[in-house]
């Protein structure tokens, strides 16, 4: 759990009567600046007061100036200065017996020690603070000290004592009508609720604290509150609210230069990215947090960051590095006595260090028993169950799971998912299918509940991919129960969702979260204008100045106006069944797929689970299923190697070996079973890493033939997509007019050769080169154009896939959609009547996050054209050389005169295979066709 705590400050001090007016005024001004979070100005003012107090030999003023200098340094994360000034203040207060100032000095030093992980010292200092306050009858300060002692007890694992201290602080704050103290107590009680696994109780406390902070304009407290809320919403499975709150917290902390808060918020966002399936983004945020925490000498946080990095390294297949990092974290937490963090270290080591997992687990159980919380014992039990599952000890796992069900209420969505997943695996392992299926559906429901709350970036697709094991588990249970048709329907529902997730984010309207939506829309929205507006709003933040108050509503009004235009267009297009299928929003049954398959066609749909890889094969008359002989992790490695070899010139023999192995694993079992007999068209629905594999280049090691030499290969986003595409008549492309654009013939001389080759075959081609190849030429196509050919750069945007684009020549200002950047969000708004689009750019078929992420599917330029109305798209998987691309393109169009696009591409690739110059898969296998290529009258022989 993220370490999110709010320290209770000391009582504001006022200048004493009799002090020189100038000195009193300077001290009061410094304190006022501190409370407005203007720490630089406060330190300058207080330094002036310190010099004046020493000059006038005003010991009381000197003590207080030193104290407030320490507090200001603390607020900025300058802990060395904070300790120096705080200890000087305490020394003088003791020397001159200033009993009224002792609480402040002890309390400030105690908070600093707590922050830096000196927990025993912090406990002693804060105990002295409580005594000092009691001696002078200062009940509010006694409550503050009790609450701050509660923070130390949280780190020591004494949650009962911590709650008592925080409740005392809350009572004192309310009795004194002090909103800051009351808000801090509520925030810390909310933190404690989260630590104990009760995020549902935390949210109302945190919202109440936020109201108090807003009333007194306590921005530093609000920065902490947003981070706390992010952690709470995460626990409840509302990732959209969590990301929004985390982004707001980070923005506010950076604006106020609160370095410790910045690090804490980076940790929150890292956690969200990791559990959304984006480990690399999580690592980036954690590395930034680590740098801050180490510079501030925050021991507890430094250890926690080490463990979180270790967890991600473990996810990424680096167990040795993960174990070493976790051991370092454990040593740090054990040294400072941070028991809950130590428990988390032990539980991770139990999972990662398999050689001594039983020892780590025993230590964790002893520690959990000493902590005495239900959540701590539940975490240990769940880890024990998962370890039993890894050892295939089904009965032991079920016994532990029964105990967990009796003692744990999974209000935490992540905990609910882990419990349901463990039950599913245990019942399935014991072959108790009747009990396994409800557990699997609970796991799937938990995934869907969390997924539906995610924002519109990549997080939904990545999260779904990271939890694909739940869907695969349900598929396997249905298969074991003999329900093959239902298993296929579930498998098909896993994919094809990345684009709909982006559009869902754009169309979502939740008035209760408008402000939070604004905090992350900068990164998530499509249009540059929206980005500019959001950046301006983020810069204003919670500024309460009159100018900001006037500007903020105007910016929000413009933002809503811009978003409404995008949302309305997306809603109109998503209303049709075809759009729903293309976006992954429709399900399909086997009978519907079989009705649209012709003789000689077969659909092969892959599903990569946690431990197995499945293949479904459907023809017009039958459905089959196979578990393929490959481990999912091994498959990912093989695909990576295959792309490295095939996606660049050279090393053909090594490439043949890898391609042969992949053929044996992915296609060989299907052929061996006779399921592909008589098939000359293969419709492939890939999954996960297979989306990046050039299936056409898979090479049969027994016959020495590439797959494309035997069958025409077409990729389909999902089976539901195929059914939707074939529900409409397909016009002929053989004699259709081509509009071909090459906007940069000098930079890409091969593109001019492409257009020349097309024109030789199709003299009526609309051939547009250089300045004539504009964005407007794409937008203004008349219904007579049957093929759109774009020979240009294809650029991918890894941060916002809706910005991935094809580069064309500008035809007008950006406001008129004429800037030459034909981006995904703009393609989605087009009505493309052209049956075929050929994207002869670089990597136009790839997802914008690069290769081999955990994203299950990808928003590509190709998929966006399918959504916009075209029936088939040819795109590229890697950077195709100009010369080879020009040759293949000319062969494609020559074949297109007498065959549909699928056969035309297959025949062009076969001709290059026989070429002495371009036979390497590097030149031809990167061109892939997606969508549906079957035509009512293909104009050529039915077999390749």
């Amino acid at each position: 759990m993220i370490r999110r705590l709010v320290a209770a400050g000391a009582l504001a001090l006022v200048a004493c009567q009799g002090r020189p007016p100038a000195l009193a005024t300077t001290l009061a001004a410094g304190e006022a600046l501190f409370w407005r979070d203007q720490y630089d100005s406060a330190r300058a003012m207080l330094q002036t007061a310190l010099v004046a107090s020493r000059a006038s030999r005003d010991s009381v003023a000197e003590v207080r100036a030193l104290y407030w200098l320490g507090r200001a340094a603390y607020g900025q994360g300058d802990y060395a200065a904070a300790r120096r000034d705080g200890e000087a203040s305490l020394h003088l207060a003791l020397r001159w017996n200033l009993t009224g100032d002792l609480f402040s000095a002890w309390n400030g030093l105690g908070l600093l020690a707590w922050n830096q992980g000196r927990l025993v010292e912090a406990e002693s200092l804060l105990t002295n603070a409580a005594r000092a306050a009691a001696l002078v009858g200062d009940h509010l300060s006694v409550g503050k000290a009790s609450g701050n002692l509660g923070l130390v007890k949280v780190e020591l694992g004494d949650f009962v004592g911590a709650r008592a201290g925080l409740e005392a602080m809350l009572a004192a704050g309310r009795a004194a009508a002090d909103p800051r103290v009351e808000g801090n107590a509520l925030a810390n009680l909310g933190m404690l609720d989260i630590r104990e696994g009760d995020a549902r109780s935390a949210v109302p406390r945190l919202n109440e604290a936020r109201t108090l902070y807003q009333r007194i304009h306590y921005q530093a407290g609000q920065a902490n509150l947003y981070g706390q809320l992010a952690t709470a919403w995460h626990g409840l499975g509302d990732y959209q609210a969590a990301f929004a709150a985390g982004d707001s917290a980070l923005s506010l902390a950076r604006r106020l230069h609160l370095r410790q808060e910045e690090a804490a918020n980076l940790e929150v966002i890292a956690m969200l990215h990791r559990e959304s399936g984006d480990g690399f983004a999580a690592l980036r945020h954690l590395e930034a947090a680590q740098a801050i925490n180490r510079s501030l000498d925050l021991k507890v946080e430094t250890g926690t960051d080490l463990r979180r990095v270790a967890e991600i390294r473990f996810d990424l297949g680096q167990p040795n590095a993960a174990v070493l990092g976790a051991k370092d974290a454990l040593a740090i937490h054990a040294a400072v006595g941070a028991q809950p963090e130590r428990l988390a270290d032990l539980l991770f080591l139990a999972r990662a260090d398999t050689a001594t997992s039983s020892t780590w687990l025993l230590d964790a159980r002893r520690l959990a028993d000493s902590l005495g919380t239900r959540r701590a014992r539940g975490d240990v039990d769940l880890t024990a169950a998962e370890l039993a599952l890894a050892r295939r000890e089904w009965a032991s796992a079920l016994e532990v799971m029964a105990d967990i069900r009796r003692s744990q209420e999974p209000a935490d969505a992540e905990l609910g998912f882990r419990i349901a997943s463990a039950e599913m695996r245990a019942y399935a392992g014991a072959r108790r299918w009747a009990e396994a299926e409800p557990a699997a559906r609970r796991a799937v429901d938990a995934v869907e509940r969390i997924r539906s709350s995610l924002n519109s970036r990549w997080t939904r697709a990545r999260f779904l991919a990271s939890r694909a094991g739940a869907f695969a588990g349900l598929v396997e249970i249905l298969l074991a129960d003999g329900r093959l048709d239902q298993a296929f329907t579930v498998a098909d529902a896993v994919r094809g969702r990345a684009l709909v997730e982006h559009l869902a984010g754009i169309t979502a309207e939740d008035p209760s979260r408008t402000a939070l939506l604004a905090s992350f829309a900068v990164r998530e929205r499509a249009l540059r204008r929206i980005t500019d507006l959001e950046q301006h709003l983020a810069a204003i933040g919670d500024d309460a100045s009159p100018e900001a108050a006037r500007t903020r509503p105007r910016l929000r009004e413009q933002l809503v106006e811009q978003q409404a235009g995008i949302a309305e267009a997306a809603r109109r297009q998503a209303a049709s069944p075809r759009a729903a299928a293309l976006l992954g929003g429709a399900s399909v049954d086997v009978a519907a797929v079989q009705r649209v398959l012709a003789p000689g066609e077969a659909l092969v749909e892959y599903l990569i689970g946690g431990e197995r890889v499945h293949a479904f094969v459907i023809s017009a008359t039958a459905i089959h299923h196979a578990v393929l002989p490959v481990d999912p992790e091994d498959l990912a490695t093989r695909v990576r190697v295959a792309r490295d070899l095939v996606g660049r010139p050279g090393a053909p023999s090594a490439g043949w070996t890898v391609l042969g192995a992949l053929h044996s694993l992915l296609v060989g079992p299907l052929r061996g079973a006779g399921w592909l007999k008589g098939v000359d068209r293969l419709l492939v629905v890939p999954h996960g890493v297979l989306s990046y594999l050039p299936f056409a280049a898979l090479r049969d090691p027994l016959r020495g033939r590439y797959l494309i030499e035997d069958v025409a290969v077409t990729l389909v986003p999902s089976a539901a997509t195929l059914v939707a595409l074939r529900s409409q008549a397909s016009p002929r492309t053989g004699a259709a007019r081509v509009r071909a654009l090459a906007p940069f013939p000098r930079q890409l001389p091969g593109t001019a050769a492409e257009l020349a080759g097309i024109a030789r075959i199709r003299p009526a081609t609309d051939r547009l080169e250089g300045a004539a190849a504009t964005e407007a030429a794409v937008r203004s196509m008349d219904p007579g154009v049957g093929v759109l050919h774009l020979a240009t750069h294809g650029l991918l945007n890894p941060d916002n896939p809706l910005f991935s684009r094809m580069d064309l020549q500008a035809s007008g200002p950006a406001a008129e959609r004429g800037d030459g950047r034909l981006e995904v969000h703009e393609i989605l708004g087009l009505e493309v009547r052209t049956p075929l689009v050929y994207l002869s750019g670089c990597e136009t078929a790839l997802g914008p996050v690069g290769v081999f992420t955990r994203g299950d599917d990808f928003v590509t330029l190709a998929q966006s054209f399918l959504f916009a109305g075209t029936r088939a798209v040819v795109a590229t998987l890697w950077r195709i050389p100009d010369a080879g691309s020009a040759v293949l393109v000319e062969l494609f169009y020559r074949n297109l005169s007498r065959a549909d696009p699928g056969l035309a591409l297959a025949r062009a690739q076969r001709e290059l295979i026989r070429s002495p110059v371009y036979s390497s898969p590097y030149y031809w296998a990167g061109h892939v066709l997606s969508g549906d290529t079957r035509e009512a009258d293909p104009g050529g022989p039915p077999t390749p």
Side-chain angles (χ1 to χ4, degrees):
M1 181 58 63
I2 301 297
R3 185 174 184 257
R4 306 283 321 176
L5 309 169
V6 182
L11 183 65
L13 302 174
V14 296
C16 295
Q17 295 293 329
R19 180 163 298 123
L23 178 55
T25 301
T26 304
L27 266 176
E31 295 169 22
L33 288 167
F34 171 85
W35 289 121
R36 291 201 296 269
D37 306 311
Q38 297 177 23
Y39 299 124
D40 282 329
S41 300
R43 291 178 79 173
M45 186 70 68
L46 291 164
Q47 187 64 41
T48 301
L50 178 63
V51 172
S53 66
R54 287 172 173 170
S56 62
R57 301 194 178 191
D58 188 331
S59 56
V60 174
E62 182 179 359
V63 167
R64 293 178 181 178
L66 284 167
Y67 168 73
W68 284 108
L69 279 167
R71 287 294 308 278
Y74 177 94
Q76 288 186 307
D78 186 354
Y79 292 155
R83 188 170 186 178
R84 180 197 66 222
D85 292 337
E87 288 179 345
S89 175
L90 176 63
H91 173 74
L92 292 177
L94 289 171
R95 177 182 173 184
W96 293 323
N97 196 30
L98 300 176
T99 55
D101 295 296
L102 285 174
F103 161 76
S104 297
W106 290 119
N107 188 60
L109 288 170
L111 290 175
L112 179 60
W114 158 73
N115 246 315
Q116 293 187 306
R118 295 178 279 118
L119 301 180
V120 174
E121 182 182 348
E123 192 171 26
S124 174
L125 289 166
L126 290 168
T127 299
N128 286 340
R131 290 170 179 164
L135 283 173
V136 296
D138 185 348
H139 301 297
L140 179 60
S141 293
V142 171
K144 291 180 184 179
S146 299
N148 291 335
L149 274 168
L151 300 183
V152 178
K153 292 180 184 295
V154 168
E155 297 302 335
L156 294 172
D158 181 5
F159 288 175
V160 174
R163 189 169 293 277
L166 292 170
E167 293 284 3
M169 177 182 174
L170 178 62
R174 286 176 172 168
D178 188 319
R180 188 184 302 270
V181 175
E182 183 181 355
N184 287 350
L186 287 166
N188 289 325
L189 284 166
M191 169 276 301
L192 187 55
D193 289 334
I194 295 169
R195 286 285 188 109
E196 293 182 319
D198 187 8
R200 194 172 304 280
S201 297
V203 170
R205 291 188 198 272
L206 296 174
N207 283 329
E208 186 178 354
R210 182 171 57 173
T211 299
L212 291 168
Y213 288 163
Q214 288 173 339
R215 195 172 79 203
I216 60 174
H217 306 292
Y218 182 24
Q219 295 189 75
Q222 290 181 62
N224 183 285
L225 245 297
Y226 279 124
Q228 298 263 26
L229 281 167
T231 309
W233 284 120
H234 159 260
L236 293 172
D238 191 340
Y239 278 51
Q240 177 166 321
F243 268 111
D247 283 352
S248 293
L250 182 60
S251 175
L252 189 54
R254 284 174 170 167
R255 185 161 62 83
L256 297 174
H257 306 291
L258 302 174
R259 300 199 69 216
Q260 184 175 356
E261 283 300 317
E262 179 182 353
N265 291 317
L266 285 166
E267 291 164 354
V268 171
I269 296 171
M271 170 189 68
L272 292 168
H273 277 299
R274 183 206 173 199
E275 296 195 9
S276 298
D278 189 353
F280 293 107
L283 279 176
R284 289 195 302 272
H285 284 82
L286 280 175
E287 287 166 358
Q290 275 185 312
I292 295 173
N293 287 328
R294 283 174 174 159
S295 71
L296 299 178
D297 192 28
L298 303 181
K299 294 182 175 58
V300 176
E301 286 86 347
T302 297
T304 302
D305 288 342
L306 282 170
R307 185 188 67 247
R308 293 196 183 102
V309 169
E311 291 169 343
I312 298 170
R313 297 291 182 202
F314 188 77
D315 291 343
L316 296 175
Q318 303 170 21
N320 293 334
V323 169
L324 290 175
K327 287 181 177 178
D328 289 342
L330 179 63
I332 291 172
H333 289 145
V336 300
Q339 304 293 41
E341 295 298 337
R342 182 173 159 237
L343 176 62
D345 299 335
L346 290 168
L347 291 176
F348 172 71
L349 284 166
R351 295 191 298 271
D353 190 6
T354 53
T356 56
S357 61
S358 59
T359 300
W360 296 120
L361 187 64
L362 181 60
D363 289 346
R365 191 172 295 282
R366 289 169 178 162
L367 180 54
D369 288 342
S370 69
L371 293 175
T373 67
R374 185 179 66 173
R375 181 62 185 266
R377 293 191 180 102
D379 286 343
V380 174
D381 287 342
L382 189 51
T383 301
E386 290 169 342
L387 291 173
L389 289 172
R391 297 190 299 268
R392 308 178 78 82
E393 297 173 356
W394 316 122
S396 297
L398 285 170
E399 185 177 347
V400 177
M401 293 309 303
D403 291 339
I404 292 173
R405 274 290 174 194
R406 284 192 293 267
S407 62
Q408 295 288 323
E409 180 183 351
D412 182 317
E414 278 295 322
L415 178 61
F417 170 74
R418 288 181 64 192
I419 291 174
S421 296
E423 286 182 322
M424 172 188 73
R425 293 170 56 197
Y427 283 125
R431 307 185 70 79
R432 292 165 58 175
W433 308 120
E435 295 156 296
E437 183 181 350
R441 294 197 181 278
R442 285 196 298 273
V444 168
D445 288 346
V447 171
E448 292 289 4
R449 182 158 61 94
I450 297 173
R451 182 192 63 81
S452 66
S453 77
L454 291 170
N455 60 38
S456 63
R457 194 172 175 258
W458 271 114
T459 50
R460 295 190 185 202
R462 282 176 173 143
F463 175 80
L464 191 64
S466 71
R467 301 296 194 274
F471 291 88
L474 179 56
V475 167
E476 290 167 358
I477 291 166
L478 293 170
L479 289 170
D481 201 35
R483 289 180 278 171
L484 181 56
D485 288 13
Q486 292 182 38
F488 170 78
T489 297
V490 173
D492 194 62
V494 179
R495 67 205 72 239
R497 297 193 181 182
L499 185 54
V500 75
E501 304 306 2
H502 288 276
L503 292 178
I506 291 173
T507 59
E509 296 179 2
D510 185 351
S512 67
R513 294 185 188 153
T514 300
L516 291 179
L517 193 63
S519 70
F520 63 82
V522 169
R523 195 183 63 234
E524 309 302 331
R525 294 297 183 265
L527 297 175
R528 284 180 295 278
R529 177 56 178 156
I530 291 179
T531 301
D532 293 341
L533 290 168
E534 293 298 342
Q535 287 175 335
H536 198 166
L537 276 171
I540 292 176
D542 294 326
D543 188 347
S545 68
E547 181 182 358
R550 289 192 300 269
T551 303
R552 191 181 294 110
R554 176 170 53 81
L555 292 176
R556 286 180 176 162
E557 182 179 351
Q558 294 175 20
L559 176 63
V560 170
E561 181 181 349
Q562 294 287 341
Q563 290 173 331
I566 301 173
E568 181 59 31
R571 279 194 292 270
R572 283 200 307 268
Q573 295 191 13
S576 71
R578 179 183 185 277
L582 286 167
L583 295 174
S587 61
V588 69
D589 58 28
V590 173
V593 177
Q594 290 178 324
R595 283 194 294 270
V596 301
L597 291 175
E601 286 186 321
L603 181 139
V604 177
E605 181 155 324
Y606 294 95
L607 175 66
I608 301 175
E611 299 178 356
R612 301 175 185 85
V613 179
H614 300 267
F616 294 87
V617 181
I618 302 179
S619 67
T621 58
I623 176 172
H624 306 281
H625 166 265
V627 176
L628 300 179
V630 61
D631 177 83
E633 292 297 327
D634 181 48
L635 177 63
T637 301
R638 289 174 184 268
V639 173
R640 180 180 294 108
V641 173
R643 275 190 50 89
D644 286 346
L645 292 172
V646 178
R648 55 186 171 86
S653 58
W656 288 343
T657 301
V658 177
L659 293 171
L662 284 168
H663 183 284
S664 298
L665 295 171
L666 298 173
V667 180
L670 315 182
R671 276 185 164 167
W675 299 338
L676 302 183
K677 185 176 181 180
V679 171
D680 53 49
R681 291 176 183 264
L682 197 63
L683 306 169
V684 177
V685 182
H687 184 220
V689 71
L690 295 179
S691 299
Y692 306 102
L693 178 66
F695 276 88
L698 298 185
R699 187 177 175 88
D700 188 335
L702 299 178
R703 299 189 300 152
R705 289 173 62 83
Y706 293 107
L707 182 61
I708 197 65
E709 295 183 82
D710 296 322
V711 297
V713 179
T714 300
L715 300 185
V716 187
S718 66
T721 298
L722 179 68
V723 173
L725 289 172
R726 292 194 170 178
S727 65
Q728 300 172 333
S730 174
R732 285 289 322 281
T733 55
R737 193 167 94 245
V738 178
R739 173 164 290 187
L741 288 77
F744 309 107
R746 291 185 178 180
Q747 299 175 22
L748 303 171
T751 61
E754 282 188 28
L755 267 62
I758 297 171
R760 281 194 293 271
I761 299 164
R762 303 281 182 91
T765 295
D766 297 338
R767 184 176 171 184
L768 305 175
E769 296 185 29
T774 64
E775 183 176 348
V778 174
R779 295 178 176 277
S780 62
M781 288 186 300
D782 61 67
V785 176
V787 182
L788 171 64
H789 187 99
L790 300 179
T792 183
H793 297 290
L795 300 177
L796 307 176
N797 188 318
D799 295 319
N800 194 332
L802 293 176
F803 276 146
S804 295
R805 70 180 192 265
M806 299 294 290
D807 274 352
L808 300 164
Q809 289 286 345
S811 56
E816 298 176 7
R817 297 183 175 184
D819 60 356
R821 299 155 60 100
L822 186 60
E823 297 168 331
V824 166
H825 69 84
E826 295 176 310
I827 298 169
L828 297 175
L830 297 176
E831 292 188 14
V832 180
R833 303 301 183 192
T834 307
L836 174 64
V837 175
Y838 200 124
L839 303 178
S840 184
C842 296
E843 301 175 327
T844 50
L846 281 186
V849 292
V851 183
F852 309 116
T853 68
R854 299 181 68 179
D856 152 62
D857 36 21
F858 42 84
V859 177
T860 65
L861 290 157
Q863 190 184 0
S864 63
F865 271 105
L866 286 174
F867 175 76
T870 193
R871 191 178 186 87
V873 182
V874 180
T876 55
L877 286 174
W878 53 76
R879 296 184 180 277
I880 308 298
D882 277 1
S885 181
V887 172
L888 186 138
V889 165
E890 184 170 351
L891 291 172
F892 171 79
Y893 282 100
R894 182 178 296 130
N895 284 291
L896 190 63
S897 300
R898 53 191 175 85
D900 64 53
L903 284 180
L905 181 61
R907 290 172 180 174
Q909 291 173 317
R910 291 164 191 164
E911 290 186 58
L912 282 189
I913 290 171
R914 295 190 291 270
S915 164
V917 179
Y918 301 115
S919 59
S920 168
Y922 169 64
Y923 294 103
W924 52 264
H927 293 258
V928 295
L929 193 147
S930 300
D932 178 34
T933 65
R934 192 179 71 177
E935 296 177 348
D937 177 15
T943 56

